[in-house]
Amino acid sequence: MRWDDVRIEGDGFVLRRWCDADLEALLLHADDPLVVRGLSDRFPHPYTRADGEAFLAGRVVDLSGPVLAIEIDGQACGSIDARQGTGDRAHSAELGYWLARVHWNRGIMRRVVAAYVPWVMEALALTRLQANVLDLNPASARVLVCNGFVEEGRLRGAVRKPEGLHDLRVFGLLRERAGA
């Protein structure tokens, strides 16, 4: 695949392709209700072995795209990807990411996004990246703002979670602001 040899080394992490050997680490870190709370329903809870196997087989997200594992201390403990649009939106992509709770509040995701965004914008010839953040996840919004994203709007009551409706905050980054 096009992304098989990708390896982006950062301060305290490595971004690389997911592999079958990551299954146990994926199950360990993905089966956390606080991680799932801020993600789409493609990311279930509880997170089962079948869910992990389906993800690694490319049946949940298209792993032929730039979907990279976040490796810390030799273990996959999160993911980042950009889902490119099609047709008149092929110049843009939606950024998504998650990180194991054990690594929260250490600035890692801010550094991961800082390393990934310029690379993926160049690799996919993007002029725009968009990220959607649930209102209950202010830390993710801070990650984006620290990396030059601008909050462009709010979709009120757009997402239903078990505890009720939540707003979806929309952030955007244009290429000239990404340093690419």
Side-chain angles (χ1 to χ4, degrees):
M1 274 191 214
R2 179 177 175 190
W3 315 110
D4 283 349
D5 295 328
V6 171
R7 185 174 177 87
I8 301 170
E9 297 193 23
D11 180 13
F13 66 90
V14 173
L15 302 179
R16 55 147 175 94
R17 295 288 291 171
W18 282 95
C19 62
D20 290 341
D22 293 324
L23 180 59
E24 295 306 319
L26 176 60
L27 296 176
L28 173 68
H29 297 299
D31 191 29
D32 183 331
L34 291 182
V35 169
V36 173
R37 187 171 172 240
L39 301 175
S40 76
D41 60 5
R42 286 188 312 187
F43 206 101
H45 184 74
Y47 196 89
T48 67
R49 180 167 294 278
D51 295 322
E53 290 169 349
F55 173 78
L56 293 174
R59 294 190 307 266
V60 177
V61 297
D62 183 2
L63 293 180
S64 68
V67 181
L68 303 181
I70 302 167
E71 179 184 302
I72 299 173
D73 297 328
Q75 185 179 69
C77 56
S79 192
I80 189 165
D81 74 294
R83 292 174 298 284
Q84 190 168 15
T86 59
D88 63 352
R89 295 184 184 205
H91 68 285
S92 67
E94 183 177 346
L95 180 69
Y97 50 82
W98 67 271
L99 184 65
R101 182 171 21 151
V102 68
H103 298 295
W104 289 0
N105 300 314
R106 295 174 33 201
I108 292 170
M109 191 43 86
R110 179 185 47 77
R111 296 191 305 272
V112 166
V113 169
Y116 181 82
V117 163
W119 171 80
V120 80
M121 290 190 87
E122 182 68 27
L124 297 178
L126 300 173
T127 56
R128 176 182 167 77
L129 265 179
Q130 179 173 313
N132 301 316
V133 177
L134 283 175
D135 58 3
L136 53 77
N137 194 351
S140 188
R142 282 191 303 275
V143 164
L144 294 169
V145 169
C146 287
N147 278 286
F149 283 75
V150 173
E151 187 164 2
E152 297 176 334
R154 181 179 294 256
L155 305 175
R156 295 176 298 137
V159 176
R160 183 178 303 279
K161 289 290 187 180
E163 69 276 6
L165 293 175
H166 289 277
D167 294 353
L168 196 59
R169 298 171 67 187
V170 179
F171 293 82
L173 178 73
L174 297 178
R175 187 174 178 102
E176 61 267 14
R177 293 194 173 93

